[in-house]
Amino acid sequence: MNVPEIFGSDVFNDAAMREKLPKDTYKALKKTIAEGLPLDIHLANVVANAMKDWAVEHGATHYTHWFQPMTGLTAEKLDSFITPTDDGGVIMEFSGKELIKGEADASSFPSGGLRATFEARGYTAWDATSYAFIKEKTLCIPTAFCSYNGEALDKKTPLLKSMEAINRASLRILKMFGSNATRVIANCGAEQEYFLVDREMYSHRKDMIYTGRTLYGAPAPKGQELEDHYFGTIKTRVAAYMRDVDEQLWRLGIYAKTKHNEVAPCQHELAPIFDTANVATDHNQLTMEIMKRTARKHGFKCLLHEKPFAGINGSGKHNNWSLSTNTGVNLLDPGKTPAENAQFLLFLVAIIKAVNDYQDILRASVATAGNDHRLGANEAPPAIISIFLGDELTGILEALSHGDRYEGKRVEMEIGVDVLPHFPKDTTDRNRTSPFAFTGNKFEFRMPGSRLSCGGPITVINTIVAATLDKFADELGKAGNFREALDELIKREYKENSRIVFNGNGYSPEWEQEAQRRGLLNLKSTPASVPCFTDKKNVEMFSKYGVYSAAELKSRVEIILDEYCKTLNIEALTMIDMAKKDILPAAATYIKELGQTAQLAEGFGADVSFESDLIKRLSSLSAQTYRKLGELENELVKCHEISDIEKQANCYHDNVFTVMGELRSYADEIETLVGEKYWPYPTYGKMLFYVM
Ligand code: ADP
Ligand code: MG
């Protein structure tokens, strides 16, 4: 495989544009994209035609406006390029109008009340900053999805708006430092964790098929305690799968870079090289799709659920985030000169303040039923938001805010007088328990779950940092002496917000108490966190930047909670179905077998204590399972009767979820007692430690 040659071969990227477009069209398009202007129809016609020619040459027959509805998935409706001719044949056509704007019946996508079904139309608009590409013989045009009133019905529109907000706010600050940058870009690098299980075994698990995770399952004798999987040798079959995925991603111009085994058995990670946030988000969505599709070919099922198996790690998607300028400067890099250092510290303190002020929405941005299993479960960061800076940087900020010298380092405490030490990744990246960690020249947000679109969390980070930078810019803009004002602001804001900085072990129970003492939020579940999106301060902040209107926020809360309720409802129904149809019958069959054996053995005067003890225990567990089933059914009925979505979500969380846990514990014990060939499902042991 010649990687440089295939890289981006399925993308209508800059090289393809340069080749296919007339020179002035190419220039005009680049300018339009760079300045974020709407595309002129004449220009669009030429671009569309060239794009179509290119796509047809690459085997495409259809095109689609590829978008990201609030389900967190991607959506597409395919149209072929064919246009009938007079002589009964067809030609392949694609117009500028079709490129710029598509109409989609929005009625079956979640809108959280934004769009009444009688005005079901929504439209998709090309995001020209993300290249079109070919997937499955279809030209995919990355688009944003809005209602006819202009309300965002997707994850992309708010993301693009938040990128604009952080661009403008950062530029205000940079101007004060004399920078000649004209654009600030938010970047994202998304590390994608996933599980691969054998497809045949998967096909025997109703829970995985319906819900993406195991709802029952006794632990295998071995878990992840030997830590022998992390970075371990990759199994041949898995390696072949990974190679296949890499190649497809490269063809799509996705910088797939790192792959390795993760902590849990059957768990792996794929990380691309970071990119502009909206492109990285598109690419991550595509990566997830390709990972799932390719698994089938290799006899695997790719699980992107945040917690497929109890008792071993779940999967996250670390969002690495940074800001850079069009002059090639990473604003989260401490820099080499005193002026760069001061600028870095200002951005750093802005991020600290933003995260402290908006802990609530940062937490809420990663809330899903699946992720609730991870956060605070001794494998992922806790549900408490805090920032890891590392001892060195914290020491510097502490000393600075108290007007002291920072011992042992080349740092004078008057800002900008001396040079900060460089923070190599190694000294800052030791702490894996922090939800929001500074890792040398970027922040790593570790709370997002493996299935989540990067769109939501990155939108929140961009906007809260933009809002804070704007406050700083207002203050500094009024100051008589910029240097003094800067010094004073950094000291004050660090002092006022330093409670959010925590370099210790985020998994420890002491941290939970310490965080409470510091007054930090600990929003443990989706229903406990998501409603904060509509708190006054958050509505004001988001609407100031046009990222989300009040109505959009309300709709999002509704969508997330509704999805939460539906997820739990499906899980509960699946548990009931499995227990009634498979688990209790398996126990009964085994009990019968034991009974018959005992009868037979008794005829010989043999000791039947094994059979009788087991019959008693299994009968008792079956009865308890049966009673819990009834309880679960009752709890579901109670939830269904509640019309207020927030109350309903809480009811699912407090009641349904609790009973599900109890039901599982009985059934899992039955699994440990029933003979292997009587058990209806592949066990954890078989699924997690399959032999190649
Ligand atoms: P680790 O597992 O040690 O956190 P990885 O190599 O798995 O590191 O992933 C790091 C991710 O961070 C990669 O996607 C990488 O491209 C991304 N990254 C590196 N530098 C930046 C940056 N300046 N801004 C955003 N993301 C970055
Ligand atoms: Mg990582």
Side-chain angles (χ1 to χ4, degrees):
M1 173 176 13
N2 183 339
V3 180
E5 202 163 279
I6 63 163
F7 188 85
S9 57
D10 291 343
V11 185
F12 193 64
N13 55 16
D14 196 58
M17 284 183 197
R18 207 190 301 250
E19 190 195 317
K20 292 286 171 194
L21 293 173
K23 215 174 192 159
D24 43 338
T25 310
Y26 170 77
K27 271 199 199 141
L29 179 64
K30 289 293 278 184
K31 187 162 180 285
T32 316
I33 293 171
E35 291 170 10
L37 301 170
L39 203 60
D40 163 84
I41 185 69
H42 302 291
L43 183 59
N45 277 329
V46 184
V47 175
N49 193 48
M51 224 187 232
K52 180 259 307 171
D53 286 345
W54 170 84
V56 170
E57 272 169 33
H58 284 75
T61 53
H62 288 70
Y63 72 92
T64 185
H65 277 205
W66 185 74
F67 60 103
Q68 299 168 27
M70 288 188 279
T71 54
L73 306 168
T74 56
E76 51 197 36
K77 182 187 107 201
L78 313 186
D79 279 299
S80 70
F81 291 121
I82 63 164
T83 305
T85 54
D86 291 340
D87 59 1
V90 293
I91 50 166
M92 302 298 255
E93 268 189 344
F94 185 46
S95 70
K97 198 166 141 258
E98 288 166 316
L99 168 64
I100 300 175
K101 198 163 169 175
E103 291 221 15
D105 181 344
S107 59
S108 290
F109 292 106
S111 77
L114 275 185
R115 173 201 28 70
T117 24
F118 59 84
E119 36 174 343
R121 286 182 316 161
Y123 69 89
T124 49
W126 184 27
D127 165 18
T129 58
S130 184
Y131 295 133
F133 56 91
I134 294 176
K135 175 171 72 74
E136 304 280 288
K137 299 197 184 304
T138 300
L139 172 69
C140 299
I141 298 146
T143 54
F145 180 40
C146 298
S147 79
Y148 260 85
N149 303 324
E151 287 141 338
L153 292 172
D154 68 349
K155 302 238 172 201
K156 177 165 230 173
T157 311
L159 174 62
L160 291 173
K161 289 178 177 169
S162 76
M163 290 172 70
E164 202 39 50
I166 190 91
N167 167 46
R168 265 187 263 127
S170 304
L171 285 178
R172 283 184 69 194
I173 298 282
L174 290 183
K175 285 233 162 60
M176 296 178 177
F177 283 92
S179 159
N180 57 0
T182 53
R183 192 150 188 95
V184 170
I185 302 132
N187 302 301
C188 172
E191 299 165 48
Q192 180 69 51
E193 291 181 341
Y194 61 100
F195 278 83
L196 283 181
V197 295
D198 185 83
R199 198 168 187 93
E200 163 66 17
M201 285 193 236
Y202 164 87
S203 72
H204 295 290
R205 299 266 340 186
K206 287 180 191 168
D207 44 4
M208 290 175 126
I209 292 172
Y210 293 137
T211 73
R213 73 180 182 105
T214 53
L215 299 169
Y216 295 107
K222 180 180 170 182
Q224 62 189 41
E225 61 276 59
L226 291 179
E227 292 169 345
D228 51 355
H229 195 254
Y230 191 55
F231 285 8
T233 314
I234 299 169
K235 287 181 182 173
T236 321
R237 186 171 154 203
V238 174
Y241 164 83
M242 287 177 165
R243 259 198 310 278
D244 196 345
V245 169
D246 277 344
E247 182 180 339
Q248 294 178 66
L249 295 180
W250 290 334
R251 283 186 189 284
L252 287 167
I254 298 173
Y255 300 110
K257 172 86 176 162
T258 309
K259 51 187 180 183
H260 59 81
N261 284 349
E262 259 300 331
V263 172
C266 292
Q267 194 186 27
H268 314 282
E269 180 182 302
L270 187 157
I273 297 171
F274 71 95
D275 214 325
T276 309
N278 63 321
V279 174
T281 302
D282 285 0
H283 282 178
N284 178 255
Q285 296 288 345
L286 266 176
T287 301
M288 291 195 288
E289 183 182 329
I290 282 165
M291 281 178 16
K292 282 192 276 188
R293 195 188 321 131
T294 309
R296 173 185 292 270
K297 214 163 94 191
H298 294 261
F300 284 125
K301 176 73 192 179
C302 174
L303 304 174
L304 292 176
H305 194 281
E306 299 87 344
K307 189 74 180 176
F309 300 96
I312 56 173
N313 281 5
S315 301
K317 168 156 30 207
H318 297 171
N319 282 199
N320 294 272
W321 175 87
S322 69
L323 296 172
S324 59
T325 66
N326 60 338
T327 50
V329 177
N330 177 354
L331 297 174
L332 301 188
D333 201 312
K336 292 185 186 68
T337 66
E340 283 171 359
N341 288 169
Q343 185 184 295
F344 163 72
L345 286 178
L346 184 64
F347 275 92
L348 185 67
V349 169
I351 294 165
I352 294 172
K353 178 174 166 57
V355 173
N356 185 35
D357 287 349
Y358 297 102
Q359 296 160 49
D360 52 350
I361 42 177
L362 205 49
R363 162 67 183 94
S365 75
V366 300
T368 63
N371 214 22
D372 281 1
H373 296 282
R374 280 179 74 238
L375 301 179
N378 269 8
E379 54 166 70
I384 307 159
I385 298 271
S386 66
I387 294 187
F388 170 85
L389 290 180
D391 293 338
E392 207 166 25
L393 199 46
T394 309
I396 289 165
L397 282 165
E398 281 293 331
L400 222 145
S401 67
H402 295 106
D404 304 335
R405 280 187 73 94
Y406 177 61
E407 292 307 324
K409 294 289 164 193
R410 298 170 289 139
V411 193
E412 276 284 343
M413 284 311 119
E414 273 303 295
I415 289 213
V417 172
D418 214 331
V419 180
L420 287 177
H422 212 78
F423 307 100
K425 192 176 156 136
D426 293 342
T427 69
T428 53
D429 196 26
R430 297 261 161 75
N431 189 324
R432 300 228 156 225
T433 65
S434 174
F436 203 82
F438 182 68
T439 51
N441 60 4
K442 62 182 161 73
F443 275 92
E444 183 170 347
F445 187 32
R446 298 191 174 123
M447 285 176 125
S450 44
R451 252 193 317 184
L452 198 71
S453 158
C454 304
I458 298 292
T459 299
V460 169
I461 297 172
N462 286 344
T463 318
I464 63 179
V465 175
T468 313
L469 288 172
D470 266 337
K471 277 189 201 133
F472 287 5
D474 291 344
E475 181 178 332
L476 294 172
K478 285 191 215 117
N481 183 326
F482 177 68
R483 261 272 123 78
E484 272 172 29
L486 179 66
D487 198 39
E488 142 69 23
L489 184 145
I490 292 180
K491 286 176 180 168
R492 184 194 69 223
E493 291 299 344
Y494 178 72
K495 243 188 240 168
E496 280 177 12
N497 295 286
S498 62
R499 65 169 185 170
I500 200 78
V501 176
F502 176 64
N503 295 326
N505 178 6
Y507 294 176
S508 72
E510 294 81 39
W511 167 232
E512 205 166 335
Q513 291 158 15
E514 164 70 12
Q516 194 177 12
R517 205 184 50 69
R518 294 189 189 187
L520 299 178
L521 293 173
N522 188 359
L523 305 171
K524 292 195 174 176
S525 69
T526 298
S529 63
V530 167
C532 75
F533 272 125
T534 51
D535 288 356
K536 192 161 167 281
K537 82 171 204 311
N538 298 331
V539 173
E540 279 173 9
M541 194 257 322
F542 279 125
S543 37
K544 179 176 169 201
Y545 292 96
V547 171
Y548 296 117
S549 66
E552 285 170 346
L553 284 166
K554 191 165 163 286
S555 84
R556 269 151 174 87
V557 170
E558 244 173 67
I559 289 167
I560 300 168
L561 293 180
D562 184 55
E563 189 192 278
Y564 178 85
C565 293
K566 284 175 178 158
T567 302
L568 263 75
N569 197 53
I570 294 168
E571 290 187 346
L573 291 176
T574 306
M575 285 192 93
I576 293 168
D577 178 280
M578 289 171 78
K580 280 187 181 167
K581 301 227 176 89
D582 304 325
I583 295 174
L584 289 174
T589 311
Y590 192 50
I591 289 171
K592 183 173 153 218
E593 178 85 23
L594 288 169
Q596 286 169 348
T597 311
Q599 249 177 11
L600 196 75
E602 257 176 342
F604 294 95
D607 178 355
V608 293
S609 50
F610 155 65
E611 289 85 351
S612 70
D613 283 359
L614 209 49
I615 287 172
K616 278 185 218 145
R617 185 69 196 137
L618 277 173
S619 301
S620 151
L621 284 168
S622 299
Q624 279 164 309
T625 303
Y626 175 71
R627 274 194 292 276
K628 274 293 161 203
L629 278 181
E631 218 179 290
L632 187 53
E633 282 170 333
N634 287 338
E635 293 301 347
L636 283 178
V637 172
K638 280 191 225 156
C639 286
H640 296 164
E641 281 163 359
I642 302 172
S643 55
D644 178 88
I645 189 71
E646 227 178 288
K647 290 199 182 106
Q648 193 182 41
N650 276 304
C651 182
Y652 272 103
H653 176 267
D654 298 343
N655 307 321
V656 170
F657 187 65
T658 311
V659 178
M660 279 166 58
E662 292 161 358
L663 173 59
R664 174 174 186 155
S665 68
Y666 296 130
D668 285 0
E669 193 180 338
I670 294 179
E671 183 187 331
T672 65
L673 299 174
V674 165
E676 178 126 358
K677 70 172 195 201
Y678 296 84
W679 194 247
Y681 309 118
T683 60
Y684 268 31
K686 278 189 185 150
M687 283 188 290
L688 293 170
F689 298 96
Y690 62 89
V691 181
M692 295 312 304

